[in-house]
Every structure is written in structure tokens, then in C-alpha cells.
Amino acid sequence: MSIFASVPQAPADPILGLVGRFKACTAEKKVNLSVGAYRTAEGKPWILPSVAEAEKMVISDTKLDKEYQPIDGKAEYKRPVQELIFDADVIDSGCLATVQALSGTGSLQCIAQFLKFMGVTKVWGPNPTWGNHPKIFQRALLEYDMYPYWHQESRGLDFEGMIAGMQKMNEGDCILLHSVAHNPTGVDPTPEQWQTIVQVCKERRLIPLLDNAYQGYASGDLAKDGYAQKLFTHSGLEFFIAQSFAKNFGLYGERIGYIHVKCASKDAADAVLSQMKIIVRQAYSSPPQHGAAIVNKILTTPALKEMWLKELTFMSSRISDMRTALRGAIEAKGTPGTWNHVTDQIGMFTFTGLTKDQVVRMVEEFHIYMTADGRISMAGLNPGNVDYVAESIDKAVRGL
């Protein structure tokens, strides 16, 4: 008998499992709206031209080697990525503890372990949120609970419910917030609502953790997408940011991201960094170099940075165009319900509002692969499939 006989078969990851089903599907018409990755108008993966050019420069740079990086990443790589979020005076103050990590998921995992080390016992996340969020914090042996976020009737933000939920949180609890382009709903607070959220965090003495997965990718404007982070920075609060470069640089497979901890002083930041390095050392010793070198080359080469900023605008505009096309196609069919939420939402995902039964039909009958909560990746839409998706939604809603 195997020593592993008592190990049960784990269920497939709900999103990656859908990808596998899509690839195995033999239907003539099939659409993958499950995975959160940019696709071209032809439905193909896209290496950003700025990334391709930077990679050539990195590979040909004779000064680079394949030695271990420092535990927290190269010091000279930190300021350019900090500047995407923070003003120069904040960076110069030394109050930031910055650590290169394994994209967004790895950043969150290290932060979760650090929260546990700090003595934090509970993390609150929005309902709904990215499916991996609860598991990350629970793996760190933190209690995880949810505050209201999605309002089904309006297909928008339940702001009153959110604030009421925050008022119930205890001092020292951590609140997880999506800094822009909330996943899965695509619904963000307004600037005025963000101001209230920051104020309640101060009043309740909460520890904010901002998951920054889509800055620049959501609207094409780094500053606009960085509003919440800037607001927290100037609030006087100490907080965490998990910064991912998967989406906005298209570096999904390179696993490149950063942790930023905004501290009250340089002494506090130095202490935080020293402890964060221990977590990294025990987890994976040191971060990968290649993706970090590509990002640094783009951010420190003016021509490449200008190219990258234009590519952000291009990607966000294509997704916005698909929102307009999908809404128009659905409304043209007179599909029951309101569909303004398709264009009101922002970022990679749309929370369609389809029921679980309707989603089952979309997947099983129409071969349109989407998550069970009705979330679709707008990047999977293109001029060649948007009408078919709208037609299928219409049939699912009408029960035809």
C-alpha cells in the first residue's frame, strides 16, 4: 500500500480547471472568458513591444550575471517601481520597506505571514473577491471574514454595506482592499468614497492592505489608477501594498512584483524590511532576476517607458471597446434586465450578474467558459466572438 493512500484527490483550481476544459473542448464555437490575461483582437497572447525590446537589451547586457539576487531584490531596482506609486519626498524619507516578491500572489503570501508575525489575527476581504485571497490568509493561519461589497440589484458597489461592515471591525484587524479594478466585479469606489474608506480606517485603527494588480491597465492612466494608494499615503496611515506586474507589463509567467510597506518612520521601515527578508529567505531564498531586469530596463529607459505607457492605453482601450460592443449587442437583442453595468465597470473583468444556472448553460451548452460567479474576462472578447457571446447570454437569460 502506498504511504500516500490516505491523501485525497484535490479539486482542480476553478479558473485553471476551466482553461483545461476549454483546451480540451472540441466544439466549433467556443470562447475562453475565464483566465485573467490580455488577449489581442485575434484572441492571441501578446508580448508588449516594450517588453520584447527591453528583453533584448537585458540579454545582451554583459554586466548582468546569473548570481543570486539580494533577498529583497536589487536595491537599484526599487526606486523606479516605488515611483509608480509614491512621490519623491515619501521615497526620500526612507519610510518605505520595499521587497521584490513573486508577483501579486507571492507578495500577498509574504504579507500574510508578516501579519501573523505582527500579532494580527483577522483579515477582512470584500464579498466577493479574487478566489485565492481567502486561501492565502487562511494558509498563514489568519482568520478570514468578509465585508459587503457587491450590490446585486444595482450591479454596483454596496457602499453603505461596506462602511457598516468596516464599523464592526476591531482595532488591529487588517482590511484587504483592491486598489483599482476590483476582481471579480470591476466596481471601484468613487474618489469621494475612497476618502470615506480612508477616514474609517483611521477611526477604527485598521491595517490596510491594498492589492495593486491593475495599475495603468485599468484606465491606461497610472496616476488615475493609483488614486487610492496616493490617498492612503497622504493619510498618515501605515499600510501594505502588494504590487503585481503580471497584467500591466504582460509578465504573467515571469512572476515579478513588489511588496511596499508604508511606515511611520525610517527606523520602523528598516525593522520591517529586516523581518520581511527572513520570511523571503525561508520561503524561496531570493527572487527571480529576469522579469525584474526587464521592468527596470523599461522604467529607466525613457523611450521604452514612453512606449510602455502607450501600450497601457492601447490595452485598456481595447477592453473598453469590448465593453461597449458587448453591451450594445446585448441591448440590441432586448435581453431582459439592465446592462449598463457592463460599461460602468472597469478593468479586466465584468461581473455579468448571471445566475449559477445561467452560467452552467453558458459553459455546458454554449461552450463559453466563465467562472461560476458570472465573472467574465473582457480580454477574451474580440470582434469575432462578441456577437456569439451576446446571443448566448440572451438565450441563457430568457431560458430559451
Side-chain angles (χ1 to χ4, degrees):
M1 177 172 295
S2 170
I3 62 172
F4 306 113
S6 63
V7 178
Q9 181 72 35
D13 180 271
I15 296 177
L16 298 183
L18 282 170
V19 175
R21 289 186 61 188
F22 171 79
K23 290 180 178 179
C25 179
T26 59
E28 182 178 351
K29 285 188 175 182
K30 62 177 185 175
V31 183
N32 185 5
L33 303 183
S34 61
V35 67
Y38 182 79
R39 294 290 182 264
T40 66
E42 293 73 39
K44 304 294 184 182
W46 189 50
I47 297 176
L48 276 62
S50 62
V51 167
E53 188 62 32
E55 188 164 40
K56 293 177 186 176
M57 296 169 70
V58 167
I59 292 172
S60 62
D61 188 346
T62 58
K63 296 178 183 178
L64 293 178
D65 54 47
K66 295 298 184 182
E67 295 294 309
Y68 292 117
Q69 287 205 106
I71 295 172
D72 53 332
K74 289 188 175 181
E76 63 267 30
Y77 285 4
K78 291 186 179 182
R79 187 175 185 106
V81 298
Q82 291 171 335
E83 289 175 343
L84 297 176
I85 299 172
F86 302 100
D87 294 333
D89 59 333
V90 176
I91 300 172
D92 293 339
S93 73
C95 68
L96 297 175
T98 294
V99 178
Q100 184 190 331
L102 305 180
S103 201
T105 304
S107 298
L108 288 165
Q109 184 59 244
C110 288
I111 292 170
Q113 292 181 43
F114 189 83
L115 290 171
K116 183 68 175 179
F117 165 78
M118 285 175 59
V120 174
T121 59
K122 189 165 187 176
V123 176
W124 294 83
N127 183 20
T129 192
W130 177 46
N132 214 16
H133 274 148
K135 300 177 181 67
I136 289 170
F137 297 104
Q138 289 164 353
R139 186 173 186 268
L141 303 181
L142 293 163
E143 183 183 355
Y144 185 89
D145 207 341
M146 296 182 293
Y147 58 85
Y149 194 87
W150 171 254
H151 190 262
Q152 175 66 16
E153 288 71 27
S154 66
R155 307 290 201 272
L157 175 63
D158 182 5
F159 184 63
E160 290 185 5
M162 178 181 181
I163 297 302
M166 291 177 67
Q167 296 289 357
K168 297 177 183 177
M169 298 176 193
N170 294 321
E171 178 179 343
D173 285 354
C174 175
I175 179 169
L176 171 67
L177 299 158
H178 299 223
S179 62
V180 69
H182 179 273
N183 177 5
T185 70
V187 174
D188 288 343
T190 65
E192 294 74 23
Q193 289 171 336
W194 271 120
Q195 292 168 22
T196 301
I197 291 166
V198 170
Q199 186 59 37
V200 176
C201 285
K202 294 179 72 171
E203 292 171 357
R204 303 297 300 176
R205 296 180 180 271
L206 305 176
I207 301 173
L209 164 52
L210 277 66
D211 189 348
N212 173 17
Y214 300 99
Q215 187 180 1
Y217 184 99
S219 72
D221 186 325
L222 287 170
K224 182 178 180 180
D225 293 350
Y227 177 81
Q229 296 170 133
K230 192 80 71 176
L231 201 61
F232 273 98
T233 300
H234 295 297
S235 71
L237 284 165
E238 295 178 293
F239 62 97
F240 296 84
I241 293 177
Q243 181 184 31
S244 168
F245 293 142
K247 271 73 174 181
N248 53 9
F249 281 88
L251 292 170
Y252 306 95
E254 299 294 352
R255 311 315 297 145
I256 167 67
Y258 282 82
I259 298 164
H260 304 285
V261 190
K262 171 66 172 63
C263 304
S265 66
K266 183 180 185 303
D267 288 344
D270 289 343
V272 168
L273 180 61
S274 71
Q275 295 292 344
M276 194 70 79
K277 287 165 70 173
I278 291 176
I279 292 172
V280 170
R281 175 64 171 156
Q282 294 171 354
Y284 51 87
S285 194
S286 67
Q289 177 178 239
H290 191 64
I294 291 172
V295 169
N296 182 259
K297 186 65 69 175
I298 291 172
L299 295 181
T300 58
T301 307
L304 288 182
K305 186 173 183 180
E306 182 179 357
M307 184 187 301
W308 172 62
L309 293 173
K310 290 179 179 177
E311 290 160 1
L312 287 176
T313 301
F314 173 80
M315 288 190 292
S316 63
S317 296
R318 196 190 88 73
I319 288 178
S320 179
D321 289 346
M322 286 300 97
R323 289 186 178 279
T324 301
L326 180 62
R327 177 184 174 181
I330 293 173
E331 291 181 340
K333 297 180 184 301
T335 306
T338 58
W339 298 96
N340 57 289
H341 60 279
V342 174
T343 52
D344 290 345
Q345 294 169 17
I346 190 173
M348 178 171 282
F349 302 110
T350 288
F351 217 48
T352 60
L354 295 179
T355 67
K356 288 186 177 181
D357 288 342
Q358 290 166 349
V359 170
V360 168
R361 285 197 68 199
M362 293 289 288
V363 175
E364 302 296 339
E365 185 177 340
F366 304 120
H367 311 289
I368 296 173
Y369 292 85
M370 55 195 296
T371 55
D373 56 9
R375 186 200 81 171
I376 60 173
S377 173
M378 299 305 296
L381 289 174
N382 58 62
N385 64 26
V386 67
D387 286 336
Y388 175 65
V389 171
E391 177 186 338
S392 300
I393 289 174
D394 183 68
K395 290 178 179 178
V397 171
R398 293 181 189 273
L400 300 176

